Amino acid sequence: MYTFSSKLKTLAFILMVVGIIGVGYSFFTAPKTLEEAEAIIAAQHHGGHGEAAHHEGTHSETHENKADEAHVTHVEDTVKEGHKLTDEEKAHLASDSVSSIVATAPAAHDSAVAEESHEAHAEAAVAGHDAHKAHDAHATHDEHKEHAEHVFHQLQNKPWAAVYVAALFFMLISLGVLAFYAIQNAAQAGWSPVLFRVMEGITSYLIPGAIIVFIFLVVGVLHFHHLFIWLDPEVVAEDHLIQQKSGYLNGTFFLIRAAVFIGGWIFYRQYSRKQSLAQDEATDNLSYKKSFKGAAAFLVFFIVSESIMSWDWIMSVDPHWYSTLFGWYVFASFFVSGITTIALITLYLKSKGYLEYVNTSHIHDLAKFMFGISVFWTYLWFSQFMLMWYADMPEEVVYFKMRIENYNLPFFGMVAMNFLFPVLILINTDFKRLSWIIVMAGIVILLGHYIDFFNMIMPATVGDQWFIGAGEIGAVLFFLGLFILVVFTALTKVPLLAKRNPLIEESKHFHY
Amino acid sequence: MSSHYEAPIRKPLIIGDKSYHDVTVDVARPVEGRANKQWWIAFTIALAAFLWGVGCVAYTVGTGIGTWGSNKTIGWAWDITNFVWWVGIGHAGTLISAVLLLFRQKWRMAINRSAEAMTIFSVIQAAMFPVFHMGRPWLAYWVMPIPNQFGSLWVNFNSPLLWDVFAISTYLSVSLVFWWTGLLPDFAMLRDRAITPFTKRVYSILSFGWSGRAKDWQRFEEVSLVLAGLATPLVLSVHTIVSFDFATSVIPGWHTTILPPYFVAGAIFSGFAMVNTLLIIMRKVSNLEAYITVQHIELMNIVIMITGSIVGVAYITELFIAWYSGVEYEQYAFINRATGPYWWSYWLMMTCNVISPQVMWFKKIRTSIMVSFIISIVVNVGMWFERFVIIVTSLHRDYLPSSWTMFQPTFVDAGFYIGTIGFFFVLFLLYSRSFPVIAQAEVKSIMKTSSEKYKKLHESHDNHSHSEHNHH
């Protein structure tokens, strides 16, 4: 039997407390009123000349982009003006950064059209119309106010989005492990039964984790946060595209779907755990057969619920954007994170002397899955990205345009973390048997996939106001602490080796 | 490599009281014997179909592409449909030999040789369509980036049709090398058993002087693993690139991001169905029922069921997102598929691909050889229609209603397709009489863990000694 080391337990509590402080701080410092937001914007832009120069850059670019828009007649003037006024503007920007923001507001809005985040849609038309006006030094107060409101909403979303990304990420890790566990059962894998109890331990987090996510969604439907703008009747009233989707995107149906999916996953988790434990004490293979059938049934439910879940909980934060591949892409992301987590926890338990029959061959197999699914994730990432980039259709390419412009480092950095690094290091057979290599690759993979979810949620909710600060790190630490606490508590409940699984002997003697 | 202990619940993969020598004899028998009358009948029919196809292709090239039913709106129809269909079928061979090797599936041993042969023969069929659907096939070599006298006029690497050239040619080469490497020990076996000087000579050349030393085997296994590791991403990328032909476009119904993995799933689906069709006949006519057992057929049926379900999820995803997108062209593309003039092909596709594999959930059905055979053909009909539906229904009605039209194939379209089927069977029939259709060396490697004979031995041994299972 495993005993939860008091050090690890303390660490989990510390992570949770530090996490709560971080999250609390980010909620506390988020602007409560428009005036506060304006002050924050002003403070941001007193930052220095570098930033001013940057704004100037986007400024003239924006005017060139405007050529595509309706105001063809104004464009030539505007562009000319843009070049002529450069020096003047510099002085202007330096002296009054707030109005410089006003001038660049359409730039932000222009990529926001792209993003179609919060009010972007409503503002898009305005931004287009007022492009030339905004350029003018005589920017009106309306535009200023609109921009400030826009940023205000993004800043208000920031702590919520930080919590959401972390809550979703850890819950999905657990769900990924559950899918892996079901696949191992349904495929009658001979190598993995010695790891079943580790996997069952990790899936125990699914229960609190999924309930937290569900509560978060309920809180959204009750309008405490505004991550899903299609829940906002005012936005929907002005947005015919969302109106068309309201048969699907509405609070009630959204929560019903979520409840069904979460209920189904938790049910299978509990059921498979029960059968797994029953098989230990049984005299026949009845429970094993039930596990097998349960796994097959779950996998059918999973492929459907997972696809819809990813449309609902992730894709719908950008309600104008759509991609048919999205569900499978999300799956690959959390599936590889789940497998990585199995490897890391197995190595930890092994290092503490708990897993007698786990040898380097088991680790090698897990590492191969980390390698293979990382490649698979990249395949799906590339397929989705390349097809939209290639066809360059405005209604969908905006998604990537926004990310490349405002999330350049996280967007391409995650490809390095989720593909280049693990693939290069895990291709070596000997390396796949070395704990420190697996731990190193595993940490990079997990961080990389956190950033993947960050990239999916943040652009639509906080736009260019993103930052990995107290709220984001705090949320990750809190959920990490909770995850450790729940998972390792579950591991103490039952022996770490399944006893009478018909394939356990194969697994004990497995060597590759 | 992997453990030699096998759990008692696993069913034997080699039925009967087979020894190593029996395997050799059983595998060599079709090669060493003479063809019977049925073989010659089948071969004649296949050859006739092939020659008819050659005539149709000659007619097309001589007269022009206008002999086909394609028109100004529908520039791609049966040609690309058949191309994608054949490429898709080819994928199962690599899946079985490479992916199942990576997943250490012992049951692949009895079927991988024929599956790979099927891959190679169907990729050859597929490769003919990109050439002969060209208006000027004699300039086909222009797709290669070769330095030339036009000031080194180059190809544009942005086109998925060019990626196809690289994908298909690489795929064919790698599959051929992978297949041939695996054949070396088996050709050596035929060489060593040959009685006539002619066959001795032939199999000596084919087996490359394989002598089966420990070092050779060690490298053989490593090469197989490396090739399997390379062939797996290759097989995914080949059909992905084929799917890019459509998905990179802006045509409603074509431009969808799910196409790459969904085409791959469809390829596995149709490929396994074709393997099933062929092996169900082969096990019978070549007396290989002890090696290609009902369990093999059942497992292939399960793969068909799984990939069929994945394809089903993809269909539903496409339908849902078409509605969700709010793009009326996209919505119409799917309404047109379901209710337009080609509704019958859409519903045929849906029935064959989504509903028919679901019967495999019943053990009675998936272990019935007769039903498996029927379903495997139904699946391939369905998958042909899938490609037809994607290609033709998306083209015949798209953005401009003034360009809407219909497609009617001509006998030349059909003749070319029939010709490739004939050519495929010509090759496959010749293969089944001259090649060892089961990788005997591999089958022998699982004899002691997975044959009925040894499983019984283990059982009685365990019962007597109550030993812990430490056989390795």
Side-chain angles (χ1 to χ4, degrees), chain A residues 7 18 103 158 207 221 270 316 347 381 400 402 404 430 461:
Chain A
K7 271 187 199 160
V18 173
K158 217 170 150 286
I207 301 157
V221 172
Q270 298 300 74
S316 85
L347 282 174
W381 174 81
F400 291 111
M402 199 283 174
I404 290 173
D430 296 330
T461 50

Side-chain angles (χ1 to χ4, degrees), chain B residues 268-398:
Chain B
I268 304 169
F269 181 54
S270 67
F272 267 79
M274 188 57 116
V275 175
N276 234 353
T277 311
L278 297 173
L279 289 187
I280 286 173
I281 297 173
M282 183 182 268
R283 69 195 287 273
K284 192 87 192 157
V285 297
S286 299
N287 289 316
L288 297 170
E289 282 124 320
Y291 307 98
I292 302 166
T293 66
V294 175
Q295 196 193 169
H296 288 84
I297 292 167
E298 184 185 0
L299 287 165
M300 283 193 275
N301 282 332
I302 290 174
V303 175
I304 290 170
M305 176 183 84
I306 294 168
T307 48
S309 307
I310 293 173
V311 168
V313 169
Y315 288 163
I316 292 162
T317 302
E318 278 197 310
L319 277 174
F320 172 77
I321 298 289
W323 170 80
Y324 180 87
S325 71
V327 180
E328 55 188 351
Y329 298 108
E330 200 66 43
Q331 292 171 343
Y332 182 73
F334 284 88
I335 292 170
N336 180 48
R337 279 184 193 178
T339 62
Y342 292 110
W343 64 270
W344 51 273
S345 59
Y346 179 78
W347 290 107
L348 197 62
M349 155 192 123
M350 276 291 189
T351 317
C352 294
N353 294 348
V354 182
I355 298 166
S356 81
Q358 297 306 320
V359 300
M360 298 300 185
W361 287 100
F362 303 100
K363 193 173 173 83
K364 260 223 168 77
I365 290 180
R366 67 172 182 260
T367 50
S368 152
I369 291 171
M370 198 59 205
V371 178
S372 305
F373 185 71
I374 294 167
I375 299 261
S376 70
I377 289 170
V378 166
V379 165
N380 268 315
V381 171
M383 284 308 289
W384 191 88
F385 275 99
E386 181 196 295
R387 277 65 190 254
F388 177 80
V389 164
I390 291 174
I391 293 167
V392 172
T393 65
S394 305
L395 285 178
H396 89 123
R397 288 182 174 180
D398 65 354

Side-chain angles (χ1 to χ4, degrees), chain B residues 122-134:
Chain B
S122 49
V123 173
I124 289 171
Q125 308 313 318
M128 281 192 284
F129 289 97
V131 176
F132 292 114
H133 92 310
M134 287 183 179

Side-chain angles (χ1 to χ4, degrees), chain B residues 140-155 157:
Chain B
Y141 70 96
W142 283 17
V143 303
M144 297 294 177
I146 311 166
N148 56 57
Q149 291 160 317
F150 300 99
S152 259
L153 181 64
W154 221 238
V155 285
F157 285 91

